[in-house]
Amino acid sequence: MKNRSFIMVLFLVCYSVDAQDIFGKWKTIDDETGEAKSIVNIYKENGKVFGKIVDIVNPERKDAICDKCEGEDKNKPIVGFVLIRNLQRDGRYYEGGTIFDPQKGKQYKCRIGLDADNEDLLQVRGYVAFFYATQYWERIKG
């Protein structure tokens, strides 16, 4: 009976540790201005993690197109644009894929993960060689 109780407690602890994850909607915050820019839905598809812009905060930019994109994304609406692609879990982070900045027209290697002190913040880091920039996105509850 003691072993059964221990296993049940262990299961509950493991479940609660992983209860909050990166999946769901996040408000992107510009690392230079501190202003909210868009809402991104982070989801899993075919075992990899993606992030799609589902809304733009600034009403004047709601119909913006990706004029700096290349290929099939060129001149398509920003809403619906998949900016995070092909991440996979590696410990507490998801990495190995890319993030695209539609305003600058640049793609970066990407790593995302929950903030160690606040699970309602998502640390989003884009890399070029040894240089990186980090943003903290806010979880949208509900």
Side-chain angles (χ1 to χ4, degrees):
M1 187 67 165
K2 211 175 203 182
N3 284 343
R4 182 177 273 173
S5 296
F6 175 75
I7 291 171
M8 187 64 148
V9 168
L10 183 63
F11 172 77
L12 290 172
V13 168
C14 290
Y15 179 77
S16 66
V17 167
D18 201 33
Q20 289 281 6
D21 209 335
I22 64 165
F23 302 106
K25 292 183 180 174
W26 297 88
K27 185 186 309 179
T28 68
I29 307 295
D30 188 294
D31 55 321
E32 295 173 9
T33 66
E35 294 181 10
K37 292 171 44 175
S38 63
I39 307 299
V40 172
N41 184 40
I42 306 249
Y43 60 96
K44 189 180 272 190
E45 184 175 291
N46 297 322
K48 297 201 176 181
V49 174
F50 296 83
K52 179 189 291 189
I53 298 172
V54 294
D55 196 11
I56 295 176
V57 175
N58 181 343
E60 296 174 9
R61 302 248 329 128
K62 292 227 185 244
D63 296 326
I65 59 168
C66 194
D67 56 354
K68 294 185 179 175
C69 290
E70 296 178 357
E72 65 183 41
D73 292 321
K74 179 95 173 144
N75 294 324
K76 286 197 174 173
I78 296 290
V79 173
F81 181 78
V82 179
L83 73 156
I84 295 174
R85 298 173 191 231
N86 299 312
L87 300 180
Q88 293 182 303
R89 189 170 200 154
D90 185 10
R92 71 174 268 230
Y93 294 105
Y94 293 80
E95 53 194 356
T98 59
I99 187 166
F100 187 82
D101 182 342
Q103 286 186 311
K104 294 180 181 174
K106 298 198 184 272
Q107 181 170 285
Y108 307 95
K109 291 180 182 177
C110 182
R111 182 187 88 177
I112 64 176
L114 294 178
D115 183 76
D117 298 323
N118 183 348
E119 291 187 341
D120 288 331
L121 289 178
L122 183 69
Q123 182 190 78
V124 180
R125 186 168 284 174
Y127 293 90
V128 174
F130 297 106
F131 301 101
Y132 64 86
T134 303
Q135 292 182 348
Y136 289 89
W137 297 356
E138 298 172 358
R139 183 185 303 273
I140 295 177
K141 296 181 181 182

